[in-house]
Amino acid sequence: MSEAFVYRPKFVDIRVKPEAVGKRARAADTEGSQRRCDHVGCERAGVHRAPKSRDHGNEFWHFCLEHASDYNKRWNYFSGMSDSEVNAFMAKEEVGQRPTWTFRSGRLDRTSAQFRGDRGGRGGDPFNLFGNGGAAEPAAAPRRRLSRLQGKALEELSLPENADGAQIRARYAELVKRWHPDSNGGDRTAEANLHRVIAAYQTLKAAGLV
């Protein structure tokens, strides 16, 4: 070969002009500063954003500092929501608005029935491991028939399904005293817990369980 090979890497001569980047940044700042406050009659720059509504989290008003502060004072996220909707939101907020599942076994769960020895005479202790002579355990007492709402109300009070009226009233009095705002310095979480306890007690009372 008459000429020696010379390696010339690509793109090494590309340059980004710093002054161009600076101009774009200054242009963006100037555009933002020229936006007027959305408050009627205000001529100041609207550099502070405020959400328009609970259902439109990506839409904002642009206010000056004074009107943004006034808007925040009057802003109520729960405006238009009923007490039950607020309580449901607070309950979900405790777990970060993520779905949760109970760890309690179902009524017809085979594993639970096996350990209870409640398998229609086919369970029990055939090898006398627990000292019952191999005889099947007597049938369990009939369970109280509860609706799903009543079962959840008992769970809210941390009571078993067979709790009687006296137990329900005692537990209700204990939880009301624990979660009352006067005992928790006006804590919003305690107030939400109190609302759930009261709703659960009213559900059980309406069902005639209290």
Side-chain angles (χ1 to χ4, degrees), residues 6 39-40 42 49-50 60 81 104 110-112 114 121 125-126 128-129 131-132 143 159 163 181 197 204:
V6 179
H39 188 81
V40 178
C42 182
R49 299 194 310 176
F60 301 92
M81 296 176 66
R104 188 182 66 173
R110 289 186 176 181
T111 304
S112 299
Q114 181 179 3
D125 183 18
N128 196 24
L129 296 178
N132 63 355
R143 301 169 65 105
L159 289 172
V197 167
L204 299 175

Coordinates of all heavy atoms in Angstrom, one line a residue, residues 6 39-40 42 49-50 60 81 104 110-112 114 121 125-126 128-129 131-132 143 159 163 181 197 204:
V6 N -4.8 5.5 8.4 CA -5.0 6.4 9.5 C -6.4 6.3 10.0 O -7.4 6.4 9.3 CB -4.8 7.9 9.0 CG1 -5.0 8.8 10.2 CG2 -3.4 8.0 8.4
H39 N -55.3 34.8 39.2 CA -56.4 35.5 40.0 C -56.8 36.7 39.2 O -56.1 37.5 38.6 CB -55.7 36.0 41.3 CG -56.8 36.5 42.3 ND1 -57.6 35.7 43.0 CD2 -57.1 37.8 42.6 CE1 -58.4 36.5 43.8 NE2 -58.1 37.7 43.5
V40 N -58.2 36.9 39.2 CA -58.7 38.0 38.4 C -58.2 39.3 38.8 O -58.3 39.7 40.0 CB -60.3 37.9 38.4 CG1 -60.9 39.1 37.7 CG2 -60.8 36.6 37.9
C42 N -55.2 40.4 38.9 CA -53.8 40.5 39.4 C -52.8 40.5 38.2 O -52.9 39.7 37.3 CB -53.5 39.3 40.3 SG -51.8 39.3 41.0
R49 N -47.7 27.2 41.4 CA -48.8 26.3 40.9 C -49.7 25.8 42.0 O -49.2 25.6 43.1 CB -48.2 25.1 40.1 CG -47.4 25.5 38.9 CD -47.1 24.2 38.0 NE -46.6 23.1 38.8 CZ -46.4 21.9 38.2 NH1 -46.7 21.7 37.0 NH2 -46.0 20.9 39.0
A50 N -50.9 25.6 41.7 CA -51.9 25.1 42.6 C -52.9 24.2 41.9 O -53.3 24.6 40.8 CB -52.7 26.2 43.3
F60 N -53.3 22.8 36.7 CA -52.9 23.7 37.8 C -53.3 25.1 37.4 O -53.4 25.5 36.3 CB -51.4 23.7 38.0 CG -50.8 22.3 38.4 CD1 -50.4 21.5 37.4 CD2 -50.8 21.9 39.7 CE1 -49.9 20.2 37.7 CE2 -50.3 20.7 40.0 CZ -49.8 19.8 39.0
M81 N -67.0 15.2 49.2 CA -67.1 13.8 49.5 C -67.9 13.6 50.8 O -67.9 14.4 51.7 CB -65.6 13.3 49.8 CG -64.7 13.3 48.6 SD -63.0 12.8 49.0 CE -63.2 11.1 49.4
R104 N -57.0 -14.2 57.4 CA -57.9 -15.2 58.1 C -58.3 -16.2 57.1 O -58.7 -16.0 56.0 CB -59.1 -14.4 58.7 CG -60.0 -15.3 59.5 CD -61.2 -14.6 60.0 NE -62.1 -14.2 58.9 CZ -63.3 -13.7 59.0 NH1 -63.7 -13.4 60.2 NH2 -64.0 -13.4 58.0
R110 N -59.8 -26.2 53.9 CA -59.5 -27.6 54.2 C -58.5 -27.7 55.3 O -58.6 -28.5 56.3 CB -59.0 -28.4 53.0 CG -60.2 -28.7 52.0 CD -59.6 -29.6 50.9 NE -60.7 -30.0 50.0 CZ -60.5 -30.8 49.0 NH1 -59.3 -31.3 48.8 NH2 -61.5 -31.1 48.2
T111 N -57.4 -26.9 55.2 CA -56.4 -26.9 56.2 C -56.9 -26.5 57.6 O -56.6 -27.2 58.6 CB -55.2 -26.0 55.8 OG1 -54.8 -26.3 54.5 CG2 -54.1 -26.1 56.8
S112 N -57.7 -25.5 57.6 CA -58.3 -25.1 58.9 C -59.2 -26.1 59.5 O -59.1 -26.4 60.7 CB -59.0 -23.7 58.7 OG -58.2 -22.7 58.3
Q114 N -59.0 -29.3 59.0 CA -58.2 -30.5 59.4 C -57.7 -30.2 60.8 O -57.7 -31.1 61.7 CB -57.1 -30.7 58.4 CG -56.2 -31.9 58.8 CD -55.1 -32.2 57.8 OE1 -55.0 -31.4 56.8 NE2 -54.4 -33.2 58.0
G121 N -66.3 -36.4 60.7 CA -65.9 -37.7 61.2 C -64.7 -38.4 60.6 O -64.3 -39.4 61.0
D125 N -58.1 -37.8 65.6 CA -56.8 -38.3 65.9 C -56.7 -39.8 65.9 O -56.7 -40.4 66.9 CB -56.4 -37.7 67.3 CG -55.0 -38.0 67.7 OD1 -54.2 -38.3 66.8 OD2 -54.7 -37.9 68.9
P126 N -56.6 -40.4 64.7 CA -56.6 -41.9 64.6 C -55.4 -42.6 65.3 O -55.5 -43.7 65.6 CB -56.6 -42.1 63.1 CG -56.0 -40.9 62.5 CD -56.4 -39.8 63.4
N128 N -54.0 -41.5 68.1 CA -54.0 -41.1 69.5 C -52.8 -40.2 69.8 O -52.2 -40.3 70.9 CB -54.0 -42.4 70.4 CG -54.5 -42.0 71.8 OD1 -55.1 -41.0 72.0 ND2 -54.1 -42.9 72.7
L129 N -52.5 -39.3 68.9 CA -51.4 -38.4 69.2 C -51.8 -37.4 70.2 O -50.9 -36.9 70.9 CB -50.9 -37.7 67.9 CG -50.4 -38.7 66.8 CD1 -50.0 -37.9 65.6 CD2 -49.1 -39.4 67.3
G131 N -54.3 -37.9 72.5 CA -55.0 -38.5 73.7 C -56.5 -38.6 73.6 O -57.1 -38.7 74.6
N132 N -57.1 -38.7 72.4 CA -58.5 -38.8 72.4 C -58.9 -40.3 72.0 O -60.1 -40.5 71.6 CB -59.1 -37.8 71.4 CG -58.7 -38.1 70.0 OD1 -57.8 -38.9 69.7 ND2 -59.3 -37.3 69.0
R143 N -72.1 -22.5 63.7 CA -71.6 -21.2 63.7 C -72.7 -20.2 63.5 O -73.7 -20.4 62.8 CB -70.5 -21.0 62.6 CG -69.4 -22.0 62.7 CD -68.5 -22.0 61.5 NE -67.9 -20.7 61.3 CZ -66.6 -20.4 61.5 NH1 -65.8 -21.4 61.9 NH2 -66.1 -19.2 61.3
L159 N -62.9 -8.6 67.3 CA -63.7 -9.6 68.1 C -64.0 -10.9 67.3 O -64.0 -10.8 66.1 CB -65.1 -9.0 68.5 CG -65.1 -7.9 69.5 CD1 -66.4 -7.2 69.7 CD2 -64.6 -8.4 70.9
A163 N -68.8 -13.5 69.4 CA -68.8 -12.5 70.5 C -70.3 -12.1 70.8 O -71.1 -11.9 69.9 CB -68.0 -11.3 70.1
P181 N -60.5 11.9 69.9 CA -59.5 13.0 69.6 C -59.0 13.7 70.9 O -57.9 14.1 70.9 CB -60.3 13.9 68.7 CG -61.4 13.1 68.1 CD -61.7 12.0 69.1
V197 N -64.8 2.7 64.1 CA -65.3 1.9 65.3 C -66.8 2.2 65.5 O -67.6 1.3 65.7 CB -64.5 2.3 66.5 CG1 -65.2 1.7 67.8 CG2 -63.1 1.7 66.4
L204 N -73.5 -3.6 63.9 CA -73.8 -4.7 64.8 C -75.1 -4.5 65.6 O -75.9 -5.4 65.8 CB -72.7 -5.0 65.7 CG -71.3 -5.4 65.0 CD1 -70.2 -5.6 66.1 CD2 -71.5 -6.7 64.2

